[in-house]
């Protein structure tokens, strides 16, 4: 699904991109995408069942990894070893060794790799980032966010859909998808650029939601009734940063709920607050905020009506005519534009291997903490001290965040 959407919506329409190869273990899915590429007026890509053959192909200049989570690291590392720039779709890591392997392969080869966290290009997240940088909230003390998305149908029909989430929910228990909220928060808190995450604790509720969904819906795989889901219904992770800030991440995908956009975060500072759920800004000593202090609902949405135009980020100013293309309100289009721009014009990717390693590590660290009764666990420094004073880099002026 992800590979299809980014290929057809974010890459095929670009004049400076040609899809020369596709690879999938499911031939029917791959052929369907190839047919759509031809319908779009592009040359038919070659089809492969082994990703290593794609990496070795002479007509492949860069690689996009949208496979199941467990294959992200080996595919990315093999591509870097071959000198092929990598667009790495988001996932959590399966081990800390995976994260170190990404970092060490990049440092040895120097091959570009970009972590494709589209939430970092959210209109509101980038506006909030500008607010933080201009001091509107004072000194930031705490940030929070969550992946709050009812995935019961997707997971409990996983065999039919051939979806890798099923085996993860059956066999793992942790914060399995942290990067949508953590990416924008990391930018707010300058993670890897003068700050870093140093430790976390993670707690899992009991697991009941998936089983109840299978039991109560006729179109679910009833064989799952005899299997225990390891994944806790709600995962709460608290992270401590080197500069004293805290971060709370919530994974909420196993129980009934309305969809709450994964790209909204909360930012708490000494002078004010941005609240993602209500998309509102509260500023200390502001007359309107004081007036509505005890009944805040009339001010819901004031981010869009009062603050957004003033704090709109340069990325969205530059790309207003393009941002409506593709999935997720244009975020995918922008994120893949940043990768293509980095490869074509030799810029440093705005979301790099150190971001990927630090954010992906939260998954396996969360599993460790939960398994040990919510014990604190340290977060490795994948920059090896470079976070203290990372040098200025050659970012694209259009996609810099």
């Amino acid at each position: 699904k992800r590979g299809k959407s980014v290929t057809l919506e974010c890459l095929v329409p670009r004049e400076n991109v040609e899809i020369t190869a596709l690879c999938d273990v499911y031939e029917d899915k791959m052929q369907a995408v190839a047919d759509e590429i031809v319908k779009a007026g592009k040359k038919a890509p070659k089809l492969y069942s082994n990703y290593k053959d794609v990496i070795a192909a002479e007509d492949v200049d860069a690689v996009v990894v949208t496979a199941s989570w467990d294959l992200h690291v080996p595919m990315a590392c093999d591509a870097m070893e071959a000198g092929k720039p990598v667009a790495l779709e988001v996932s959590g890591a399966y081990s800390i060794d995976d994260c170190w392997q990404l970092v060490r392969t990049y440092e040895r080869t120097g091959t570009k790799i970009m972590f494709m966290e589209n939430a970092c290009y959210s209109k509101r997240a980038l506006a909030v980032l500008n607010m933080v940088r201009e001091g509107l909230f004072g000194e930031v003390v705490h940030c929070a966010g969550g992946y709050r998305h009812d995935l019961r149908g997707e997971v409990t029909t996983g065999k039919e859909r051939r979806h890798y989430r099923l085996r993860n929910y059956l066999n793992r228990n942790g914060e399995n998808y942290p990067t949508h909220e953590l990416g924008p928060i990391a930018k707010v808190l300058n993670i890897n650029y003068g700050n870093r995450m140093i430790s976390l604790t993670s707690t899992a509720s009991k697991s009941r939601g998936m089983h109840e969904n299978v039991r109560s819906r006729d179109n679910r795989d009833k064989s799952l009734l005899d299997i225990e889901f390891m994944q806790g219904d709600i995962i709460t992770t608290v992270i401590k940063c080197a500069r004293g800030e805290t971060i709370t991440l919530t994974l909420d995908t196993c129980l009934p709920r309305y969809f709450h956009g994964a790209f909204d975060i909360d930012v708490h500072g000494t002078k004010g607050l941005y609240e993602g759920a209500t998309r509102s800004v509260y500023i200390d000593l502001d007359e309107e905020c004081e007036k509505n202090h005890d009944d805040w609902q009339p001010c819901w949405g004031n981010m869009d009506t009062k603050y957004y135009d003033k704090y709109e980020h340069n990325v969205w100013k530059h790309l207003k005519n393009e941002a409506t293309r593709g999935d997720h309100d244009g975020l995918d289009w922008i994120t893949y534009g940043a990768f293509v721009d980095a490869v074509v014009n030799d810029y440093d990717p705005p979301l790099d291997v150190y971001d990927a390693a630090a954010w992906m590590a939260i998954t396996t660290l969360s599993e460790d903490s939960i398994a040990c009764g919510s014990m604190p666990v340290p977060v490795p420094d994948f920059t090896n001290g470079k976070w203290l004073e990372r040098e200025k880099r050659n970012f694209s002026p259009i996609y810099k965040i």
Side-chain angles (χ1 to χ4, degrees), residues 82-93:
K84 306 288 178 77
V86 184
L88 179 61
E89 271 296 336
V90 301
S91 70

Side-chain angles (χ1 to χ4, degrees), residues 206-233:
K206 59 187 176 182
S207 176
R208 295 293 185 271
M210 291 296 178
H211 187 275
E212 175 60 24
N213 186 260
V214 174
R215 188 198 66 79
S216 61
R217 302 289 181 108
D218 292 336
N219 62 340
R220 299 300 190 249
D221 180 0
K222 296 304 180 182
S223 69
L224 294 173
L225 285 172
D226 300 323
I227 303 175
E228 180 182 358
F229 283 87
M230 294 299 294
Q231 179 66 41
D233 290 344

Side-chain angles (χ1 to χ4, degrees), residues 48-62:
Y48 297 87
S49 59
N50 188 329
Y51 79 87
K52 292 185 179 181
D53 292 334
V54 175
I55 292 172
E58 292 184 0
D59 60 349
V60 171
D61 298 320

